[in-house]
Structure formats: structure tokens, C-alpha cells
Amino acid sequence: QVQLVESGGGLVQAGGSLRLSCAASGSIFSINAMGWYRQAPGKQRELVALITSGGNTNYADSVQGRFTISRDNAKNTVNLQMNSLKPEDTAVYVCNADLVRSSGYKYSYWGQGTQVTVSS
């Protein structure tokens, strides 16, 4: 069993900051990429930021320069520092991990999601 537990969402005014965290636990052998996705009402889920086990990162154009993704491989955690937040960043943010379980099989796991609301 593997679980991804997110924390750190909430309500913030435009221009403010929030930090999201996601911790993976369970029968994990290794984690490849970890990322954050978001889904706003009436819209498709989209990639926000991704980080590989080697530290390579990829960001959506809309958050480039404002958001920073980081991870702690020893703790199986990934963080998303969100600065200069805009109302259009309002969405449910969901953590994802592509990992290898102790069985040796590869899986992609999703967290439950955390709400981020940015008021204008």
C-alpha cells in the first residue's frame, strides 16, 4: 500500500504565497518523477510542475518564475512553493508520484488533492 498525503492549501490574497507539501509512504522501493497537477472547475487537469529523482524540473508556462518545486529523496517528499499567486491559480492541487514498489512493479499514484483559492 502506498499513500500520498498533501498539505498546505488554503485561501490567500492575490500576490501572496503558499507552500504545498506531499509525502509518500508505504512499500516504496524508489520514486522517479514527482509532480503537482491542478484542476480548476470546468477545466481539465494540467501539469503545474514536475521534478525527477535527479532534480531536473519542468514547469507550466503559466507558473514559470513564480512557483518552485523541490523534493527530499530521503523523505519521499515533494514541495511546491507558490509565490505571486493570481486568482487564476485557484484550483485543486494534486500530488503525483511515479514510483517502483517493493515488489519491483512501477505504478503512478495520486494524492487526494488540496484546495488553493486566490482571492482578487
Side-chain angles (χ1 to χ4, degrees):
Q1 187 77 0
V2 173
Q3 283 189 320
L4 300 183
V5 179
E6 301 119 330
S7 61
L11 173 64
V12 65
Q13 288 189 332
S17 298
L18 282 174
R19 182 178 176 86
L20 305 182
S21 295
C22 173
S25 62
S27 57
I28 299 170
F29 176 74
S30 65
I31 301 178
N32 299 322
M34 299 187 80
W36 288 95
Y37 291 72
R38 68 186 180 187
Q39 187 164 17
K43 295 188 177 181
Q44 288 189 335
R45 181 175 290 184
E46 63 173 353
L47 173 67
V48 176
L50 191 74
I51 185 167
T52 67
S53 57
N56 294 317
T57 58
N58 185 35
Y59 295 94
D61 290 343
S62 59
V63 307
Q64 184 77 44
R66 300 188 296 121
F67 291 11
T68 302
I69 190 169
S70 61
R71 65 186 282 177
D72 185 329
N73 291 332
K75 296 181 179 179
N76 289 339
T77 59
V78 62
N79 302 304
L80 185 68
Q81 178 65 42
M82 304 185 294
N83 298 329
S84 302
L85 282 161
K86 304 176 181 180
E88 51 263 43
D89 294 318
T90 295
V92 175
Y93 285 69
V94 186
C95 174
N96 173 263
D98 288 332
L99 56 87
V100 179
R101 290 190 61 177
S102 301
S103 61
Y105 289 98
K106 297 180 180 179
Y107 294 91
S108 182
Y109 282 92
W110 295 88
Q112 295 286 346
T114 185
Q115 177 70 46
V116 171
T117 302
V118 185
S119 63
S120 58

